[in-house]
Amino acid sequence: GVSPVSPIHVYTQREVYGTVGSRVTLSCSFWSSEWISEDVSVSWHFQADGSRDSITIFHYVKGQPYIDDVGSFKERIEWVGNPRRRDGSIAIHGLEPTDNGTFTCDVKNPP
């Protein structure tokens, strides 16, 4: 059988500006007509300006934040979200010029 799927609406800021060395919050709020389950997951991806490749820089799964500990965002990402408040936001510390690019927030709410 096919299980019914209901959408999650995800909202982010279109553009975020920050100065080198400062901290910026990337907000991601979401809404679903369904109850937000304990298994809700949030992933953040980054595509550098001029690059075709997107990398995953952050995961929130089963109530735990998992921060990329290798790439250029190593030790600079902070989980500031709260799924119970439908918030999947992260903060990036120590902004660098190479942080310019597209950040994507992806939320899944398994039944």
Side-chain angles (χ1 to χ4, degrees):
V2 176
S3 58
V5 174
S6 67
I8 285 191
H9 301 274
V10 178
Y11 305 95
T12 58
Q13 295 151 292
R14 190 163 166 73
E15 291 189 342
V16 177
Y17 296 95
T19 52
V20 171
S22 72
R23 171 187 190 270
V24 71
T25 298
L26 301 178
S27 17
C28 170
S29 58
F30 53 92
W31 182 89
S32 171
S33 58
E34 299 298 314
W35 182 74
I36 302 299
S37 82
E38 292 295 308
D39 288 334
V40 67
S41 70
V42 177
S43 297
W44 277 91
H45 310 279
F46 171 68
Q47 185 175 0
D49 275 354
S51 170
R52 289 183 165 181
D53 299 325
S54 169
I55 58 165
T56 302
I57 58 169
F58 176 85
H59 279 302
Y60 176 91
V61 188
K62 302 239 182 255
Q64 285 296 316
Y66 295 96
I67 296 168
D68 173 27
D69 60 356
V70 285
S72 65
F73 293 97
K74 177 182 163 88
E75 295 174 356
R76 296 195 298 129
I77 292 180
E78 176 190 358
W79 168 242
V80 294
N82 181 341
R84 285 194 197 93
R85 294 199 184 115
R86 294 167 169 70
D87 181 359
S89 304
I90 59 171
I92 300 176
H93 298 266
L95 286 179
E96 298 171 0
T98 52
D99 295 342
N100 249 342
T102 303
F103 292 84
T104 310
C105 175
D106 184 26
V107 182
K108 292 184 174 58
N109 186 31

